[in-house]
């Protein structure tokens, strides 16, 4: 992939097994490479059109059955990638599993650690990248309003930047609209056609 020609990039990031690659496929109409089980690949998936790049980064966080060393390598790769290309990255879309997000955050909080999703949102902001959240698997949520409020509070993202999504069922219109707005904001109306 000739990354030297890229002027505008949108990245997709999130824990393993949250539906990141499914969302990516739905948005750009491409089939993506997946590991045999969650958390086993370090290679990103790309969609490249002219000088635009969409990047589906590997899933991060603890995955049962995968060595701690491998998990650290994935995290280091993601951090380096974002730091290296921050200037051209217009937005970072954090994909999370709406149904399990609160339970995961509380588990990390109890252990005295900052949850990795929270770290990612802070990191993206620190390097000047606009953050939006794809609250995926939203059809599994019992209290939609409370869930959005909780995500907003924990990730320090405004409610308008949290987009309920059900990627598996093709319910990705909110994320598609956000990306369309990024293209328009960057005077790149020509890119709107990449969205499927």
């Amino acid at each position: 992939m000739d990354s030297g020609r890229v002027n505008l990039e949108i990245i997709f990031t999130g824990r393993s097994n949250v539906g990141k690659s499914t969302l990516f496929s739905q948005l750009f109409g491409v089939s993506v490479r997946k590991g045999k089980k969650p958390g086993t690949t370090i290679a990103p998936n790309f969609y490249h059109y002219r000088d635009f790049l969409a990047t589906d980064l590997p899933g991060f966080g603890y995955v049962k059955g995968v060595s701690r060393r491998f998990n650290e390598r994935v995290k280091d790769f993601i951090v380096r990638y974002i730091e290296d290309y921050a200037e051209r990255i217009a937005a970072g879309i954090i994909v999370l599993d709406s149904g399990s997000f609160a339970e995961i955050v509380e588990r990390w909080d109890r252990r005295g650690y900052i949850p990795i999703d929270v770290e990612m949102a802070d990191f993206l902001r620190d390097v000047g990248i606009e953050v939006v959240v794809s609250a995926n698997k939203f059809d599994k949520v019992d209290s939609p309003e409370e869930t959005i409020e909780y995500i907003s509070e924990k990730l320090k993202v405004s409610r308008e930047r949290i987009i309920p999504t059900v990627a598996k069922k093709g319910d990705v219109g909110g994320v598609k609209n956000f990306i369309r707005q990024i293209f328009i904001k960057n005077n790149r109306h020509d890119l709107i056609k990449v969205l499927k």
Side-chain angles (χ1 to χ4, degrees), residues 149-172:
E149 190 58 46
Y150 186 84
I151 294 168
S152 173
E153 179 191 320
K154 290 298 178 181
L155 296 186
K156 299 181 196 87
V157 174
S158 71
R159 291 172 61 95
E160 299 75 42
R161 295 285 168 172
I162 298 165
I163 305 170
T165 313
V166 187
K168 205 171 189 176
K169 295 180 180 174
D171 182 5
V172 300

mmCIF file of all heavy atoms in Angstrom, residues 149-172:
data_model
loop_
_atom_site.group_PDB
_atom_site.id
_atom_site.type_symbol
_atom_site.label_atom_id
_atom_site.label_comp_id
_atom_site.label_asym_id
_atom_site.label_seq_id
_atom_site.Cartn_x
_atom_site.Cartn_y
_atom_site.Cartn_z
ATOM 1 N N GLU A 149 -25.680 7.943 27.833
ATOM 2 C CA GLU A 149 -25.202 8.844 28.895
ATOM 3 C C GLU A 149 -23.937 8.285 29.534
ATOM 4 O O GLU A 149 -22.961 9.016 29.781
ATOM 5 C CB GLU A 149 -26.304 9.031 29.947
ATOM 6 C CG GLU A 149 -26.017 10.116 30.965
ATOM 7 C CD GLU A 149 -25.799 11.484 30.342
ATOM 8 O OE1 GLU A 149 -26.576 11.909 29.469
ATOM 9 O OE2 GLU A 149 -24.796 12.137 30.727
ATOM 10 N N TYR A 150 -23.934 6.990 29.803
ATOM 11 C CA TYR A 150 -22.781 6.336 30.443
ATOM 12 C C TYR A 150 -21.554 6.402 29.538
ATOM 13 O O TYR A 150 -20.453 6.752 29.985
ATOM 14 C CB TYR A 150 -23.134 4.880 30.762
ATOM 15 C CG TYR A 150 -22.071 4.164 31.558
ATOM 16 C CD1 TYR A 150 -22.019 4.273 32.933
ATOM 17 C CD2 TYR A 150 -21.108 3.387 30.923
ATOM 18 C CE1 TYR A 150 -21.039 3.626 33.681
ATOM 19 C CE2 TYR A 150 -20.121 2.734 31.635
ATOM 20 C CZ TYR A 150 -20.093 2.846 33.022
ATOM 21 O OH TYR A 150 -19.112 2.216 33.743
ATOM 22 N N ILE A 151 -21.724 6.072 28.267
ATOM 23 C CA ILE A 151 -20.609 6.119 27.308
ATOM 24 C C ILE A 151 -20.075 7.541 27.215
ATOM 25 O O ILE A 151 -18.863 7.774 27.240
ATOM 26 C CB ILE A 151 -21.051 5.605 25.916
ATOM 27 C CG1 ILE A 151 -21.409 4.113 25.971
ATOM 28 C CG2 ILE A 151 -19.953 5.851 24.874
ATOM 29 C CD1 ILE A 151 -22.123 3.583 24.733
ATOM 30 N N SER A 152 -20.985 8.508 27.135
ATOM 31 C CA SER A 152 -20.615 9.920 27.034
ATOM 32 C C SER A 152 -19.765 10.350 28.226
ATOM 33 O O SER A 152 -18.714 10.985 28.071
ATOM 34 C CB SER A 152 -21.882 10.775 26.949
ATOM 35 O OG SER A 152 -21.577 12.143 27.009
ATOM 36 N N GLU A 153 -20.212 9.967 29.411
ATOM 37 C CA GLU A 153 -19.514 10.341 30.640
ATOM 38 C C GLU A 153 -18.128 9.680 30.719
ATOM 39 O O GLU A 153 -17.133 10.327 31.018
ATOM 40 C CB GLU A 153 -20.371 9.921 31.836
ATOM 41 C CG GLU A 153 -19.752 10.219 33.184
ATOM 42 C CD GLU A 153 -20.526 9.540 34.317
ATOM 43 O OE1 GLU A 153 -21.776 9.511 34.278
ATOM 44 O OE2 GLU A 153 -19.858 9.006 35.219
ATOM 45 N N LYS A 154 -18.075 8.387 30.436
ATOM 46 C CA LYS A 154 -16.821 7.648 30.590
ATOM 47 C C LYS A 154 -15.777 8.028 29.533
ATOM 48 O O LYS A 154 -14.584 8.107 29.839
ATOM 49 C CB LYS A 154 -17.063 6.136 30.546
ATOM 50 C CG LYS A 154 -17.792 5.612 31.754
ATOM 51 C CD LYS A 154 -16.992 5.842 33.027
ATOM 52 C CE LYS A 154 -17.704 5.387 34.266
ATOM 53 N NZ LYS A 154 -16.934 5.645 35.487
ATOM 54 N N LEU A 155 -16.210 8.238 28.283
ATOM 55 C CA LEU A 155 -15.246 8.541 27.211
ATOM 56 C C LEU A 155 -15.062 10.046 26.993
ATOM 57 O O LEU A 155 -14.269 10.451 26.150
ATOM 58 C CB LEU A 155 -15.672 7.867 25.895
ATOM 59 C CG LEU A 155 -15.691 6.346 25.889
ATOM 60 C CD1 LEU A 155 -15.982 5.829 24.489
ATOM 61 C CD2 LEU A 155 -14.376 5.760 26.382
ATOM 62 N N LYS A 156 -15.826 10.850 27.764
ATOM 63 C CA LYS A 156 -15.766 12.318 27.627
ATOM 64 C C LYS A 156 -16.033 12.746 26.181
ATOM 65 O O LYS A 156 -15.302 13.532 25.586
ATOM 66 C CB LYS A 156 -14.428 12.867 28.113
ATOM 67 C CG LYS A 156 -14.142 12.576 29.576
ATOM 68 C CD LYS A 156 -12.800 13.168 29.976
ATOM 69 C CE LYS A 156 -12.294 12.606 31.263
ATOM 70 N NZ LYS A 156 -11.523 11.393 31.131
ATOM 71 N N VAL A 157 -17.082 12.153 25.617
ATOM 72 C CA VAL A 157 -17.509 12.431 24.243
ATOM 73 C C VAL A 157 -18.949 12.932 24.328
ATOM 74 O O VAL A 157 -19.752 12.348 25.057
ATOM 75 C CB VAL A 157 -17.431 11.144 23.376
ATOM 76 C CG1 VAL A 157 -17.999 11.370 21.994
ATOM 77 C CG2 VAL A 157 -16.002 10.634 23.285
ATOM 78 N N SER A 158 -19.264 13.998 23.608
ATOM 79 C CA SER A 158 -20.631 14.526 23.663
ATOM 80 C C SER A 158 -21.622 13.485 23.127
ATOM 81 O O SER A 158 -21.267 12.654 22.285
ATOM 82 C CB SER A 158 -20.744 15.821 22.862
ATOM 83 O OG SER A 158 -20.662 15.552 21.484
ATOM 84 N N ARG A 159 -22.845 13.559 23.620
ATOM 85 C CA ARG A 159 -23.880 12.585 23.228
ATOM 86 C C ARG A 159 -24.080 12.561 21.710
ATOM 87 O O ARG A 159 -24.368 11.522 21.142
ATOM 88 C CB ARG A 159 -25.196 12.926 23.919
ATOM 89 C CG ARG A 159 -25.169 12.695 25.421
ATOM 90 C CD ARG A 159 -26.419 13.233 26.080
ATOM 91 N NE ARG A 159 -27.610 12.582 25.591
ATOM 92 C CZ ARG A 159 -28.217 11.544 26.167
ATOM 93 N NH1 ARG A 159 -27.722 11.050 27.279
ATOM 94 N NH2 ARG A 159 -29.295 11.010 25.643
ATOM 95 N N GLU A 160 -23.912 13.718 21.067
ATOM 96 C CA GLU A 160 -24.091 13.799 19.610
ATOM 97 C C GLU A 160 -23.023 13.003 18.859
ATOM 98 O O GLU A 160 -23.187 12.690 17.690
ATOM 99 C CB GLU A 160 -24.033 15.258 19.123
ATOM 100 C CG GLU A 160 -25.090 16.171 19.705
ATOM 101 C CD GLU A 160 -24.823 16.570 21.159
ATOM 102 O OE1 GLU A 160 -23.654 16.866 21.512
ATOM 103 O OE2 GLU A 160 -25.783 16.573 21.949
ATOM 104 N N ARG A 161 -21.910 12.736 19.533
ATOM 105 C CA ARG A 161 -20.808 11.985 18.915
ATOM 106 C C ARG A 161 -20.886 10.497 19.204
ATOM 107 O O ARG A 161 -19.946 9.753 18.911
ATOM 108 C CB ARG A 161 -19.460 12.527 19.404
ATOM 109 C CG ARG A 161 -19.193 13.942 18.974
ATOM 110 C CD ARG A 161 -18.844 13.950 17.539
ATOM 111 N NE ARG A 161 -18.834 15.276 16.992
ATOM 112 C CZ ARG A 161 -18.412 15.559 15.792
ATOM 113 N NH1 ARG A 161 -17.973 14.603 15.019
ATOM 114 N NH2 ARG A 161 -18.441 16.771 15.336
ATOM 115 N N ILE A 162 -21.971 10.053 19.828
ATOM 116 C CA ILE A 162 -22.159 8.628 20.102
ATOM 117 C C ILE A 162 -23.266 8.141 19.171
ATOM 118 O O ILE A 162 -24.403 8.609 19.239
ATOM 119 C CB ILE A 162 -22.519 8.387 21.577
ATOM 120 C CG1 ILE A 162 -21.364 8.879 22.455
ATOM 121 C CG2 ILE A 162 -22.800 6.903 21.824
ATOM 122 C CD1 ILE A 162 -21.705 9.044 23.899
ATOM 123 N N ILE A 163 -22.901 7.238 18.279
ATOM 124 C CA ILE A 163 -23.811 6.815 17.224
ATOM 125 C C ILE A 163 -24.256 5.364 17.440
ATOM 126 O O ILE A 163 -23.448 4.438 17.298
ATOM 127 C CB ILE A 163 -23.130 6.946 15.845
ATOM 128 C CG1 ILE A 163 -22.611 8.382 15.650
ATOM 129 C CG2 ILE A 163 -24.087 6.549 14.729
ATOM 130 C CD1 ILE A 163 -21.715 8.556 14.433
ATOM 131 N N PRO A 164 -25.538 5.167 17.812
ATOM 132 C CA PRO A 164 -26.037 3.795 17.944
ATOM 133 C C PRO A 164 -25.925 3.066 16.596
ATOM 134 O O PRO A 164 -26.297 3.612 15.555
ATOM 135 C CB PRO A 164 -27.505 3.995 18.343
ATOM 136 C CG PRO A 164 -27.542 5.359 18.969
ATOM 137 C CD PRO A 164 -26.541 6.160 18.186
ATOM 138 N N THR A 165 -25.384 1.855 16.642
ATOM 139 C CA THR A 165 -25.089 1.100 15.422
ATOM 140 C C THR A 165 -25.424 -0.377 15.633
ATOM 141 O O THR A 165 -25.244 -0.888 16.743
ATOM 142 C CB THR A 165 -23.574 1.226 15.089
ATOM 143 O OG1 THR A 165 -23.175 2.579 15.181
ATOM 144 C CG2 THR A 165 -23.250 0.704 13.716
ATOM 145 N N VAL A 166 -25.881 -1.023 14.571
ATOM 146 C CA VAL A 166 -26.015 -2.484 14.587
ATOM 147 C C VAL A 166 -25.403 -2.954 13.269
ATOM 148 O O VAL A 166 -26.093 -3.205 12.279
ATOM 149 C CB VAL A 166 -27.485 -2.948 14.727
ATOM 150 C CG1 VAL A 166 -27.534 -4.473 14.909
ATOM 151 C CG2 VAL A 166 -28.182 -2.251 15.889
ATOM 152 N N ALA A 167 -24.081 -3.037 13.249
ATOM 153 C CA ALA A 167 -23.343 -3.321 12.011
ATOM 154 C C ALA A 167 -23.769 -4.630 11.363
ATOM 155 O O ALA A 167 -23.899 -4.709 10.145
ATOM 156 C CB ALA A 167 -21.842 -3.323 12.286
ATOM 157 N N LYS A 168 -24.003 -5.642 12.174
ATOM 158 C CA LYS A 168 -24.361 -6.962 11.652
ATOM 159 C C LYS A 168 -25.644 -6.916 10.815
ATOM 160 O O LYS A 168 -25.812 -7.665 9.873
ATOM 161 C CB LYS A 168 -24.536 -7.929 12.826
ATOM 162 C CG LYS A 168 -24.320 -9.371 12.484
ATOM 163 C CD LYS A 168 -24.304 -10.201 13.746
ATOM 164 C CE LYS A 168 -23.864 -11.615 13.433
ATOM 165 N NZ LYS A 168 -23.756 -12.419 14.647
ATOM 166 N N LYS A 169 -26.542 -6.007 11.172
ATOM 167 C CA LYS A 169 -27.823 -5.874 10.452
ATOM 168 C C LYS A 169 -27.785 -4.741 9.429
ATOM 169 O O LYS A 169 -28.811 -4.395 8.852
ATOM 170 C CB LYS A 169 -28.950 -5.629 11.455
ATOM 171 C CG LYS A 169 -29.188 -6.813 12.381
ATOM 172 C CD LYS A 169 -30.314 -6.532 13.349
ATOM 173 C CE LYS A 169 -30.543 -7.732 14.265
ATOM 174 N NZ LYS A 169 -31.549 -7.426 15.302
ATOM 175 N N GLY A 170 -26.622 -4.135 9.243
ATOM 176 C CA GLY A 170 -26.498 -3.069 8.255
ATOM 177 C C GLY A 170 -26.997 -1.715 8.727
ATOM 178 O O GLY A 170 -27.126 -0.780 7.934
ATOM 179 N N ASP A 171 -27.266 -1.581 10.032
ATOM 180 C CA ASP A 171 -27.742 -0.311 10.588
ATOM 181 C C ASP A 171 -26.535 0.570 10.915
ATOM 182 O O ASP A 171 -26.091 0.653 12.058
ATOM 183 C CB ASP A 171 -28.597 -0.584 11.828
ATOM 184 C CG ASP A 171 -29.179 0.681 12.439
ATOM 185 O OD1 ASP A 171 -28.996 1.768 11.849
ATOM 186 O OD2 ASP A 171 -29.807 0.588 13.515
ATOM 187 N N VAL A 172 -25.974 1.189 9.854
ATOM 188 C CA VAL A 172 -24.740 1.973 9.997
ATOM 189 C C VAL A 172 -24.897 3.401 9.457
ATOM 190 O O VAL A 172 -23.923 4.109 9.266
ATOM 191 C CB VAL A 172 -23.547 1.267 9.289
ATOM 192 C CG1 VAL A 172 -23.298 -0.107 9.896
ATOM 193 C CG2 VAL A 172 -23.786 1.152 7.785
#
